Amino acid sequence: MDNNIDNKLINKKESGWNSVSDEEKVNIFKFSKGYMDFINKSKTERLFVNNAKLLLEENGFKDINFVESLNKSDKVYYINRDKSIFIAVIGNKPSSEGFNLIGAHIDSPRLDLKPNPLYEDSGFAYFKTHYYGGIKKYQWTTIPLSIHGVIVKPNGEKINVEIGENDDEPVFTITDLLPHLANEQMSKKANNIIEGEDLNLLIGSIPYNDDEQNQVKLNILNILNKKYGIKEIDFTSSELEIVPAFKARSLGFDESLVAAYGQDDKVCAYTALKAILETQNPDKTCICILADKEEIGSMGNTGMASHTFEYFVSELLNKTGENKPNMIDKVFNNSKMLSSDVDAGFDPIYKSAYDIHNTSFLGGGVTLNKYTGSRGKSGASDANAEYVGYIRNILESNNIKYQVCELGKIDLGGGGTIAYLLADKGIDIIDAGISVLSMHAPYEVTSKFDIYSAYKFYKEFYKY
Ligand code: MN
Ligand code: MN
């Protein structure tokens, strides 16, 4: 009898923390500290792009628009309208052999200001909002909120707005009805407890002049005019995003977890960015995509469905001198990719939502989703077995813990990522990311072990 047979044959799902050395633990915690510092200043796609650009410049990456020609091991990036970014390190092999790509998204669920946001009611001034992405609306009331974004004037002048993050700045909030008077509200379905039209941000209460109508609104406009030089109509050409003012923090007595806003998908975006920053002289050309608009379907010219990505790849091929008719299709058909997005981690409080045999666990390592979609794989790009085998080889030969999983129970819902859009181009792709609790809530939870595992995996993936 083989006493060790269970270890050999059974795919045991153990916590990754079981096999972490003291030294490794120091690295894991240090890496997560860097991650938390970065996302604290990168809560929107524009901020993420800006801070990524600074890191890229520090690490010798150049704006491809200012590069005449590209050679092996050159490093470039392309920023698309300040909201998405493509990053490349040129490989030793010809592009026709394919690229190694990793793609994450840097937009997160939030509240956007409506084009005509400002109004006054009963002595309060408010901003009207339109939520962005799939949220539980009731989660966004009674928490501190900050505002980030730009206001663009007809003459092209762009005004940056950042308010609510620093301790000496005011915050904003959306009020909710007191429980004492909420009998009617509490009997509504959760979807209607807070209506979309009631997600109105409280922004002030002092009147400008008590003889006038709209006094509080006028006082706010006067403050905004002094601070930013704007008038009311300037909101119509703005993108102002409202996000939780919470800071990313270590969670738990053991500090094993990260609690933060926007970890979907900035946790995968940060780990992918760190991986490409540390990639030197790769065999194949390595690309990191940080996309916008994933949370609303990847449409628009900064979303993954846009042809701007093809334009970037064509520019790479032009500048390495390899371009010719249909070359881009050959490159895509020979390329391999990780769609690095978060996965729904098993939450023991809501056990019934998950198939325990096919769920991911926080601390269980990198999550691989062969397919996403909903109700019978609809809308999924289903990675073929050969490619999953290829991915497993990278993970197993580098001793990186992973788990292969689905989002949750089949008939309960579902979701998608950018994977199918790249699969459409002929690229081999699989979702490979990090498990998260409370996904799309103002405060999401991840495991530091998983964050570090994903970073290690992304770095190795670029080497193959
Ligand atoms: Mn996501
Ligand atoms: Mn999402």
Side-chain angles (χ1 to χ4, degrees):
M1 233 176 46
D2 185 344
N3 286 330
N4 206 22
I5 191 165
D6 60 333
N7 280 333
K8 284 182 193 158
L9 296 184
I10 293 177
N11 178 21
K12 290 193 172 165
K13 293 177 179 173
E14 287 177 354
S15 166
W17 293 108
N18 286 347
S19 45
V20 166
S21 67
D22 288 347
E23 189 194 343
E24 181 98 324
K25 196 172 169 189
V26 171
N27 291 335
I28 290 172
F29 276 57
K30 200 174 145 201
F31 187 86
S32 290
K33 169 83 170 62
Y35 162 60
M36 290 189 281
D37 290 345
F38 189 86
I39 58 168
N40 274 337
K41 54 187 183 186
S42 312
K43 290 186 179 180
T44 67
E45 57 282 353
R46 284 178 189 268
L47 291 169
F48 199 109
V49 163
N50 225 13
N51 290 318
K53 182 185 170 183
L54 294 175
L55 281 182
L56 288 163
E57 293 279 344
E58 271 170 32
N59 285 272
F61 286 75
K62 294 193 171 72
D63 185 334
I64 192 168
N65 292 319
F66 302 111
V67 174
E68 288 280 312
S69 64
L70 286 168
N71 297 300
K72 289 168 188 176
S73 74
D74 280 355
K75 301 168 172 188
V76 285
Y77 64 86
Y78 176 83
I79 292 178
N80 181 12
R81 297 165 173 88
D82 293 340
K83 293 194 283 188
S84 72
I85 184 165
F86 308 123
I87 306 159
V89 181
I90 307 301
N92 295 321
K93 290 185 172 168
S95 296
S96 57
E97 293 192 27
F99 296 163
N100 285 335
L101 306 102
I102 301 179
H105 67 92
I106 52 177
D107 61 318
S108 301
R110 59 174 190 259
L111 308 174
D112 286 342
L113 283 205
K114 287 194 180 194
N116 300 292
L118 183 58
Y119 77 102
E120 168 174 358
D121 193 350
S122 313
F124 293 120
Y126 294 97
F127 277 153
K128 291 208 64 81
T129 71
H130 195 136
Y131 58 93
Y132 173 99
I135 62 165
K136 290 177 163 180
K137 287 168 284 187
Y138 63 82
Q139 293 178 333
W140 293 73
T141 63
T142 67
I143 57 171
L145 297 162
S146 58
I147 305 174
H148 302 270
V150 295
I151 301 167
V152 182
K153 292 194 177 180
N155 67 3
E157 187 194 345
K158 194 190 274 191
I159 299 141
N160 280 305
V161 176
E162 303 286 338
I163 185 159
E165 295 293 337
N166 297 326
D167 287 344
D168 59 351
E169 291 169 351
V171 292
F172 307 90
T173 199
I174 293 165
T175 54
D176 192 3
L177 189 60
L178 61 166
H180 316 63
L181 298 178
N183 274 353
E184 209 173 283
Q185 184 196 33
M186 296 305 282
S187 64
K188 289 181 184 174
K189 287 192 169 172
N191 198 29
N192 305 112
I193 289 174
I194 305 292
E195 303 281 353
E197 291 299 338
D198 294 337
L199 289 171
N200 300 322
L201 194 70
L202 181 56
I203 56 168
S205 65
I206 300 179
Y208 178 72
N209 173 335
D210 54 13
D211 297 331
E212 299 280 331
Q213 289 292 313
N214 287 338
Q215 310 136 340
V216 182
K217 171 175 168 173
L218 188 60
N219 192 43
I220 296 293
L221 278 173
N222 190 41
I223 292 168
L224 294 175
N225 183 262
K226 281 187 186 146
K227 191 170 167 67
Y228 302 112
I230 59 162
K231 49 190 184 180
E232 187 173 15
I233 195 158
D234 292 323
F235 283 116
T236 59
S237 49
S238 72
E239 285 181 359
L240 294 171
E241 304 179 7
I242 296 157
V243 298
F246 314 137
K247 294 276 175 277
R249 303 286 290 268
S250 290
L251 189 155
F253 288 112
D254 57 8
E255 302 189 22
S256 58
L257 304 160
V258 173
Y261 162 71
Q263 300 204 70
D264 174 10
D265 185 33
K266 294 178 181 82
V267 68
C268 295
Y270 178 79
T271 42
L273 173 65
K274 287 294 277 184
I276 198 146
L277 284 171
E278 293 168 16
T279 294
Q280 310 272 3
N281 306 312
D283 262 0
K284 290 189 180 164
T285 292
C286 295
I287 292 184
C288 175
I289 300 170
L290 303 177
D292 181 28
K293 296 283 181 279
E294 194 276 343
E295 295 294 356
I296 56 167
S298 295
M299 273 69 113
N301 61 10
T302 55
M304 202 61 240
S306 159
H307 280 258
T308 307
F309 181 59
E310 274 87 339
Y311 167 67
F312 171 70
V313 173
S314 295
E315 281 294 275
L316 284 182
L317 297 173
N318 290 336
K319 292 183 177 185
T320 55
E322 295 169 290
N323 215 355
K324 56 184 181 186
N326 302 328
M327 181 64 172
I328 193 166
D329 292 321
K330 186 167 189 174
V331 172
F332 283 148
N333 274 280
N334 289 329
S335 288
K336 294 185 168 61
M337 178 157 180
L338 302 176
S339 161
S340 71
D341 206 341
V342 294
D343 194 48
F346 180 74
D347 187 334
I349 298 176
Y350 303 99
K351 282 192 183 74
S352 65
Y354 303 86
D355 164 14
I356 191 83
H357 307 292
N358 285 284
T359 189
S360 63
F361 295 89
L362 267 70
V366 176
T367 59
L368 295 182
N369 276 69
K370 190 173 178 295
Y371 48 82
T372 57
S374 55
R375 296 172 194 84
K377 299 192 179 182
S378 181
S381 94
D382 199 342
N384 52 56
E386 291 83 350
Y387 187 54
V388 185
Y390 170 87
I391 293 297
R392 281 184 53 207
N393 175 52
I394 301 176
L395 288 155
E396 290 175 19
S397 28
N398 291 287
N399 216 5
I400 297 165
K401 197 168 168 60
Y402 69 96
Q403 42 190 340
V404 185
C405 45
E406 292 191 337
L407 192 69
K409 276 191 181 163
I410 298 169
D411 290 331
L412 289 185
T417 64
I418 61 168
Y420 74 99
L421 293 163
L422 286 305
D424 278 353
K425 303 186 202 301
I427 300 173
D428 271 322
I429 187 162
I430 187 167
D431 281 295
I434 293 166
S435 240
V436 58
L437 298 185
S438 309
M439 195 195 292
H440 285 203
Y443 220 36
E444 301 172 318
V445 177
T446 54
S447 163
K448 292 182 181 177
F449 175 82
D450 299 335
I451 296 170
Y452 195 66
S453 299
Y455 156 70
K456 282 199 303 186
F457 175 43
Y458 298 159
K459 260 180 37 167
E460 291 303 327
F461 176 81
Y462 278 141
K463 293 178 189 164
Y464 280 72

